[in-house]
Structures are given as C-alpha cells and as structure tokens.
C-alpha cells in the first residue's frame, strides 16, 4: 500500500464528508449516522452513533477490500463552556484548515470564536493514535480520542 496515496485518499474522503457536509446514506446499523464517499476503486464510510457524545468508525476500501480504519470517541467535557453546535462548528473549521494542508494527523492548532482546537497524535497513516480537544477559557471543554491504521488480512 502506497502510504502517501492512502493519506491523500483519506484526506479527500474526510474533507468531502463530515467537514464538507457530504452525502448521508442509509444507516448501516440501527441508530447509526453514515456518511459515504467514493472515487474509482476507493470507497469510504464514516459511521457513528450519538450527538454531543458520540462513537464512530471510518473505513477505507480499495477494490472492495478494507485497507484502513479508524475508531473514535468524542464528548463534551464541560457543557457550561461549549455545546454541541459550537464544538461542531469549531471542529469543522479546524479540520478544514488541516485538510487543506493535505493531512489529517496531529500537531495542529487552530483558534476560532468558540475556542482553540488542538490535535496531537503519534504514528502515521499505517498505525496511529491521538487526541483532539477544544480549549475554552484555558480549560478542556471537548475531547475526542482516536486510533487506527492499516487493515491487513
């Protein structure tokens, strides 16, 4: 698997779905919210449960074989400082800026009207884990933990 190509596909898929207001598709599981993208031999699905507190999984397929996946859990830590709508607006704006750099993994910070988004991770596309937070008034008001990497038979 060409890791640079895979990174580019992941960034393109992520930018076109949650961040880009992409195509919602029928739920793959009861109660799931699913966003899909495809191009040529590539297919992507982001499937999650919940709202302000949520859990999900993203998968990339090449020629109908899963090649990459990521799991995540996010939640509002301090509802008195941020709500789901403000957190969502912050995350979408920050991720849009990160994806414009051609990447989705950490070492990224962005500030907006509702707080400062900070993402940090270790590893690379092949194997990684990380955390994104939104800081409001110097306090962690929202947090999401994620991990993932290549899927091998």
């Amino acid at each position: 698997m060409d890791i640079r190509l895979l990174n580019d596909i992941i960034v393109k898929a992520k930018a076109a779905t949650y961040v880009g207001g992409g195509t919602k598709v029928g739920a793959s599981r009861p109660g799931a919210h699913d966003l899909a993208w495809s191009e040529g031999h590539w297919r992507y699905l982001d499937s999650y449960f919940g709202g302000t507190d949520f859990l999900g999984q993203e998968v990339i397929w090449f020629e109908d074989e899963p090649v990459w996946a990521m799991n995540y859990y996010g939640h509002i830590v301090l509802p008195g400082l941020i709500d789901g709508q403000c957190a969502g607006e912050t995350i979408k704006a920050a991720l849009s800026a990160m994806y414009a750099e051609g990447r989705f993994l950490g070492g990224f910070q962005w500030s907006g009207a509702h707080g400062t988004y900070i993402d940090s991770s270790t590893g690379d596309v092949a194997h990684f884990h990380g955390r994104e937070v939104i800081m409001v008034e110097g306090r962690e008001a929202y947090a999401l933990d994620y991990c993932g990497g290549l899927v091998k038979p």
Side-chain angles (χ1 to χ4, degrees):
M1 177 65 53
D2 180 335
I3 296 299
R4 286 181 293 180
L5 173 60
L6 180 58
N7 179 83
D8 294 346
I9 292 295
I10 294 166
V11 169
K12 193 172 194 178
K14 286 173 163 287
T17 51
Y18 174 71
V19 169
T23 305
K24 292 183 180 182
V25 296
S28 58
R29 299 167 287 180
H33 305 277
D34 288 3
L35 301 167
W37 171 90
S38 64
E39 182 177 284
H41 295 286
W42 296 96
R43 188 165 58 95
Y44 166 88
L45 180 67
D46 180 0
S47 181
Y48 67 95
F49 298 91
T52 59
D53 294 13
F54 55 95
L55 175 120
Q57 181 181 61
E58 300 173 28
V59 179
I60 294 275
W61 289 264
F62 180 72
E63 296 181 345
D64 293 326
E65 292 293 325
V67 296
W68 179 90
M70 180 180 98
N71 294 313
Y72 57 87
Y73 176 77
H75 63 108
I76 301 295
V77 177
L78 296 172
L81 292 180
I82 198 166
D83 61 20
Q85 180 176 338
C86 291
E89 289 173 11
T90 300
I91 293 162
K92 284 182 178 183
L95 292 178
S96 180
M98 187 190 313
Y99 299 161
E101 294 180 1
R103 63 194 184 97
F104 73 96
L105 290 173
F108 187 79
Q109 185 168 320
W110 181 92
S111 292
H114 307 299
T116 300
Y117 172 95
I118 302 168
D119 185 273
S120 58
S121 65
T122 59
D124 62 15
V125 175
H127 182 254
F128 61 90
H129 66 274
R131 182 174 181 86
E132 71 177 17
V133 299
I134 299 174
M135 303 297 290
V136 178
E137 299 175 6
R139 298 167 69 194
E140 186 178 288
Y142 159 87
L144 177 140
D145 294 296
Y146 60 89
C147 63
L150 294 175
V151 175
K152 298 179 182 179

